[in-house]
Amino acid sequence: MFHNTCGRKGRFARVMGMALAISVTLSGCSTVSDWFADEEELEIRRLKPIDAKFTPSVKWDRDIGDGVDHYFSRLRPVYAYENLYAADRHGSVVAMNPESGDVLWERNFAVFEGDGWWDSIARLWRSGASARIGGISVADRLLFVGTENGVVMALDYETGETKWEASIPGEVLAAPSADEGILVVNTGAGTLFGFDTRTGEQLWRHEGDTPPLTLRGISGPVAANGGALIGTPTGKLQVNLLESGILAWETVIATPTGATELERIVDLDTTPVLFGGTIYTVSYNGTLAAVELRSGRIIWKREYGSYRNLSIEGNSIFVVDNNSNIYALDRRNGVELWSQGGLKSRSVTAATPVGEHIVVGDNWGFVHWIEQETGQIVARVDVGGDDEDDAIYDAPLNVDGVVVTMTRNGVVAAISTL
């Protein structure tokens, strides 16, 4: 939880700097927390030198709230209509200028129980109960917000004004998705919902199966081509008709194996990727598959396990596995092109294509650039001060070549390579 003493000074370093200087001499870029780590952890924490080809720099950063703290979350910023939108788990939702980070509007959805005059005054210094925001998305000139409390909201993208609000049974742990005027929301209870994007009217619901033991996260839905694509905790990829919610087809991607419930986890916990007429998905227990959209026929399968989202650029598909090894495969046949194990065990995020590179964040607040062609790490920048509290916990965002990340403590940063 301490900042790098060779980089920017962290809060702890500022307070304790004099005491540390009395008896300790640090060499290289050691961190204060190195003193309390075992050799295995030190091996993971200490990054190996790279032959840097360029030097990224933080263009701007802004603290938008409390972040996601230590909770599992896929709460990622969104870029749409030339605005940048971000939220923290507690309840802050912010629209920003992507060039400067300036706030355009801000809403706070933290929960306050009382509505008397004293409660109104108390809100000036109390933060309220967490709204537990789980995901945001933008479509039809609306910003959609889903929460773990089972609340779905639509806000005006220009002003933040609430247009409608609905309550559903189940936690929303992934960003909703909209197409053709229908908003699709997935829940941890295994139920998929369809809403009218303009009015908030519930149009349909589809009940799914949930095994006794599953991962904390859920698959984000993809609304496209008249269907709602979703991965299930039972290891299936399914497509529901967008207009009615009726199941069009489902295909088994992964089957349970092993003697214990833990060993038998087969969640498809990632958002499916639709590219052309093919859907790509990956299961936690080790199955990466390409599936034909029209029929559900499996085109190819490979043995890679992940709970991180896949990404595609050109003919390459990029996978970050459960151990933070990074792979590039030919999306047409699943042939492995290269692998990168230099960030193993650093809780690396999903990869985001940016120009000729893919970009990932890690558990200590570093952002890394990897060449798409070779898999070589060619640049990195320290956003979180080598601090697990400021980890980059979800995939960076590509905003016209500028990389936008968010840390666990709620700092949104824009990184330029120019």
Side-chain angles (χ1 to χ4, degrees):
M1 61 186 295
F2 306 121
H3 288 270
N4 192 310
T5 57
C6 296
R8 57 182 186 175
K9 301 291 186 181
R11 293 185 297 271
F12 185 87
R14 287 196 294 267
V15 175
M16 298 295 291
M18 292 181 62
L20 297 176
I22 294 174
S23 60
V24 179
T25 301
L26 300 178
S27 61
C29 280
S30 301
T31 59
V32 175
S33 54
D34 284 354
W35 305 338
F36 309 104
D38 58 28
E39 285 302 318
E40 183 177 358
E41 181 180 349
L42 289 177
E43 182 67 22
I44 296 170
R45 287 180 64 96
R46 291 173 177 168
L47 288 164
K48 293 179 174 58
I50 61 172
D51 183 14
K53 295 189 177 181
F54 54 90
T55 305
S57 60
V58 176
K59 186 178 179 182
W60 57 260
D61 59 25
R62 178 169 296 280
D63 190 337
I64 67 158
D66 296 329
V68 299
D69 199 14
H70 60 278
Y71 295 96
F72 174 84
S73 179
R74 289 197 171 117
L75 190 52
R76 184 180 183 228
V78 177
Y79 176 64
Y81 304 123
E82 300 184 348
N83 289 342
L84 183 66
Y85 301 92
D88 78 342
R89 186 176 184 272
H90 192 79
S92 292
V93 178
V94 180
M96 292 176 285
N97 182 319
E99 289 294 323
S100 63
D102 292 342
V103 173
L104 305 175
W105 58 257
E106 183 174 2
R107 295 285 306 275
N108 182 11
F109 294 98
V111 180
F112 292 87
E113 299 297 337
D115 56 5
W117 68 271
W118 173 250
D119 297 291
S120 299
I121 295 174
R123 292 184 192 191
L124 297 175
W125 69 86
R126 291 180 184 170
S127 60
S130 174
R132 302 167 71 203
I133 295 175
I136 61 173
S137 63
V138 178
D140 292 346
R141 299 186 178 274
L142 293 168
L143 172 65
F144 299 104
V145 180
T147 81
E148 297 172 36
N149 295 330
V151 176
V152 181
M153 294 177 285
L155 312 180
D156 184 279
Y157 83 106
E158 287 185 310
T159 65
E161 176 191 358
T162 302
K163 292 299 185 180
W164 57 261
E165 180 177 320
S167 295
I168 56 176
E171 298 177 304
V172 181
L173 299 168
S177 179
D179 192 40
E180 299 178 9
I182 297 177
L183 180 73
V184 180
V185 182
N186 193 22
T187 70
T191 305
L192 198 64
F193 291 88
F195 292 92
D196 185 302
T197 57
R198 308 308 300 182
T199 67
E201 177 190 0
Q202 183 180 311
L203 303 176
W204 52 261
R205 62 186 288 170
H206 176 83
E207 303 284 349
D209 297 327
T210 303
L213 185 63
T214 68
L215 299 179
R216 170 60 177 160
I218 59 175
S219 171
V222 174
N225 291 36
L229 290 58
I230 199 78
T232 76
T234 56
K236 297 176 183 177
L237 176 67
Q238 72 179 45
V239 175
N240 296 71
L241 299 179
L242 190 57
E243 186 176 349
S244 63
I246 295 173
L247 183 66
W249 58 256
E250 62 181 7
T251 296
V252 175
I253 302 297
T255 39
T257 59
T260 68
E261 292 293 338
L262 188 61
E263 293 172 328
R264 294 172 64 81
I265 292 178
V266 293
D267 293 48
L268 268 63
D269 202 34
T270 61
T271 301
V273 177
L274 178 61
F275 192 95
T278 304
I279 308 169
Y280 299 88
T281 188
V282 63
S283 74
Y284 174 77
N285 78 336
T287 305
L288 171 67
V291 181
E292 189 177 66
L293 173 62
R294 291 180 60 187
S295 65
R297 178 182 65 89
I298 294 176
I299 301 170
W300 55 257
K301 275 187 179 184
R302 297 293 181 267
E303 293 185 4
Y304 296 88
S306 182
Y307 60 93
R308 301 291 193 189
N309 287 336
L310 306 170
S311 57
I312 289 180
E313 183 76 2
N315 288 327
S316 297
I317 183 167
F318 302 101
V319 184
V320 179
D321 75 6
N322 294 328
N323 294 316
S324 293
N325 297 303
I326 305 165
Y327 301 90
L329 291 80
D330 190 314
R331 66 171 182 83
R332 298 165 295 186
N333 51 31
V335 173
E336 186 176 304
L337 304 175
W338 53 256
S339 63
Q340 171 56 256
L343 302 176
K344 184 177 180 180
S345 300
R346 291 183 65 88
S347 296
V348 170
T349 68
T352 298
V354 181
E356 297 178 350
H357 306 91
I358 57 171
V359 183
V360 299
D362 73 22
N363 196 50
W364 285 276
F366 286 87
V367 181
H368 311 264
W369 279 253
I370 301 169
E371 282 186 339
Q372 290 189 24
E373 187 69 25
T374 66
Q376 179 183 359
I377 301 172
V378 295
R380 67 169 53 111
V381 66
D382 179 3
V383 173
D386 197 21
D387 188 338
E388 289 182 85
D389 289 342
D390 283 304
I392 310 297
Y393 64 92
D394 204 354
L397 186 67
N398 180 3
V399 180
D400 297 330
V402 174
V403 173
V404 176
T405 67
M406 184 169 171
T407 72
R408 284 197 171 275
N409 272 345
V411 175
V412 178
I415 307 164
S416 174
T417 57
L418 299 179

